[in-house]
Structure formats: structure tokens, C-alpha cells
Amino acid sequence: MPLTCRGQCRRRLAAATATACVRCVFLCNPNTKLSSNPVLDAYMAKMRIGLIGCGNIASDVCLAIRDRDIPAEVVALTDIVASQAETLRREYKLNASIGTLEDLAGAVDFIVECASPAVVPEAVTLAIRHHVDCLVMSVGGLLEHPELFDVARRNNITLWVPSGAVCGVDGIRAAMQAGLDEVTLTTSK
């Protein structure tokens, strides 16, 4: 059964790891609205994003940028498997550097973490250090380090979290209001 986005677009999802596509999550950022003015769109396309992890979700981001659904350009990539980053760069004809997490964070305006929960603490810490907002797709990494929310907030960094990524963070909040005290989450990739 194909998965479809529960966000604005209702498109078929390329990755089966979320219930809202990256396009809809990214476009929630008020700084990334598309206009009907091509000159303004060209200016906005200069938002430089870096992708941490170069798998299916990163491919979805690249498709959305290529299709002009996300007004940005990918300028930096990093992946634990360097050949994955090279493949993504070649496949989407990106003019992006491939380097370390530190290199990426220092070169971008916005970070998209789409790797694994294990990388989330370092990704968010680097986003804070380099004063850039971060979209965290591996929500489980934030659940293990809730202090990152407070640190980001104190440093005026926005952590974007897709609500559908963990059975719906909204669903967990609702269950908490109904008396839920504890949740055990088991995921696989």
C-alpha cells in the first residue's frame, strides 16, 4: 500500500519513514515561502541547506528542490558512507561539498538531519554552535536527548520536528492528556 503525505501536498512518499513529506515540513518555515515573483524566488533559492545522511529522505529533499517545491540549494552533504554522498551529488547534479558534520554546519543556512537517531545530538549541537536551524527527521534521537530542546531554545535555534515521524508526536501528546505515563518505542531502518 503506497504511503501518501498527510501534509498540504498529499503526494506519494518516497520514503516510508514519515507520514508527512519533507516538502510539507520544510515549507512550514515562514522564511521559505514561494512567491509568484521569479526574481524573488531566485533570491530565496539562495538558502543554502546541508543534508546529513544521503539516503531516501535526502533524495526526496533533492527532488523537491529540483522541482522548485523547496526554494533552496543543497551546498553540503555528509554521510557515514562517503560513496552515498557522492552518488547523491552525482544523481542530482549538486554543486555541493562532501565533508564532515562540522564542515557542513559551517557552510549552510539550514540543516536537514535525515541519517539516524545516533547522529541527532551532534547535528543539533553543531546547529546551535553555527547558529542555524535544523530539521530533525530522526525524532527518536531527540526523544533520547530532550535537553537539546532547551539548549536550542536558549540559543534562538528552531528545531523542526515532523509530527508524523513517531506515530504522530501529536498522538503521543493526546495520549498523555488521557493518562499515558510511559511509551516504549522500537524502530528499525
Side-chain angles (χ1 to χ4, degrees), residues 40-160:
L40 182 59
D41 285 348
Y43 171 76
M44 291 171 63
K46 299 302 177 193
M47 175 180 259
R48 301 166 304 144
I49 68 170
L51 300 175
I52 300 173
C54 295
N56 289 335
I57 295 172
S59 290
D60 196 30
V61 173
C62 291
L63 281 171
I65 290 171
R66 185 184 69 198
D67 294 346
R68 294 181 40 101
D69 290 335
I70 297 176
E73 64 180 319
V74 177
V75 299
L77 303 167
T78 190
D79 195 287
I80 195 166
V81 179
S83 63
Q84 284 278 108
E86 184 57 49
T87 298
L88 191 72
R89 179 167 66 178
R90 186 176 53 255
E91 183 175 336
Y92 292 98
K93 298 175 178 67
L94 302 173
N95 185 21
S97 63
I98 298 173
T100 65
L101 284 170
E102 181 76 40
D103 296 336
L104 179 141
V108 302
D109 302 317
F110 191 83
I111 294 172
V112 178
E113 178 284 317
C114 46
S116 73
V119 77
V120 169
E122 186 176 1
V124 171
T125 300
L126 288 169
I128 292 166
R129 184 180 308 144
H130 290 277
H131 305 287
V132 295
D133 291 346
C134 184
L135 168 62
V136 178
M137 297 300 290
S138 304
V139 178
L142 287 172
L143 295 175
E144 294 173 9
H145 298 278
E147 71 280 359
L148 292 172
F149 287 108
D150 291 330
V151 177
R153 189 176 301 115
R154 282 195 307 270
N155 287 278
N156 294 317
I157 299 301
T158 301
L159 297 180
W160 295 91

